Amino acid sequence: MKTAPRRTAPRLLALLPALALTTGFVAGCSEGGSSDGASPSVSASVEATGQVAENVGKFSYEGEDGKTALELLQEKDPGAQVQGEGEQAYVTAIRGREADPATEFWGLYVDDEMAQVGAGALETKDGQTITWKLEEIQQ
């Protein structure tokens, strides 16, 4: 009985460009060369991504006398998305991260305490820390 010839070589050759790209990407993610010639750690890249993802859900800035939390948010993040205006404004996205209206919202905090009014009505003061946190809606 005759068996079909194996076609391993073409498959292997097809994988070489992907392997080269992956190796180049991992090497490019390191923050400098290693003097011992060791390969960079992939886990360092994953940890950096985790840090970026963590920061997407929180955004802080300092309060300023005479300015609302909404005015300052729009200065610090011109791309922030808001529905409504003034005291009726509702923040839907910060730093490109849109809250899922079915499960999330951007909560407003002043010095680590949840604000009792909306961003358009909250007059800030010098020295206050204004923080927005992406939070889950409690059902």
Side-chain angles (χ1 to χ4, degrees), residues 109-133:
Y109 291 80
V110 179
D111 295 331
D112 294 321
E113 293 200 22
M114 187 169 259
Q116 301 300 308
V117 296
L122 179 63
E123 292 284 333
T124 66
K125 297 179 181 144
D126 289 344
Q128 288 180 324
T129 300
I130 310 302
T131 303
W132 292 88
K133 296 179 188 178

Side-chain angles (χ1 to χ4, degrees), residues 40-139:
S41 169
V42 175
S43 64
S45 176
V46 172
E47 289 171 16
T49 301
Q51 183 65 31
V52 169
E54 179 182 321
N55 289 338
V56 170
K58 187 176 180 182
F59 184 63
S60 295
Y61 49 86
E62 295 295 315
E64 293 181 27
D65 287 339
K67 290 193 176 183
T68 66
L70 182 60
E71 290 172 320
L72 290 172
L73 172 63
Q74 291 174 322
E75 284 178 16
K76 307 294 182 188
D77 180 14
Q81 295 177 15
V82 179
Q83 291 181 349
E85 295 179 6
E87 292 182 10
Q88 302 301 317
Y90 182 76
V91 176
T92 59
I94 297 174
R95 296 174 72 195
R97 174 59 165 87
E98 189 171 347
D100 178 349
T103 60
E104 302 172 318
F105 68 97
W106 280 102
L108 174 59
Y109 291 80
V110 179
D111 295 331
D112 294 321
E113 293 200 22
M114 187 169 259
Q116 301 300 308
V117 296
L122 179 63
E123 292 284 333
T124 66
K125 297 179 181 144
D126 289 344
Q128 288 180 324
T129 300
I130 310 302
T131 303
W132 292 88
K133 296 179 188 178
L134 188 61
E135 300 187 322
E136 290 185 27
I137 295 173
Q138 300 299 315
Q139 310 242 342

Side-chain angles (χ1 to χ4, degrees), residues 22-46:
T22 303
T23 304
F25 175 74
V26 170
C29 288
S30 67
E31 290 186 19
S34 174
S35 60
D36 63 1
S39 296
S41 169
V42 175
S43 64
S45 176
V46 172

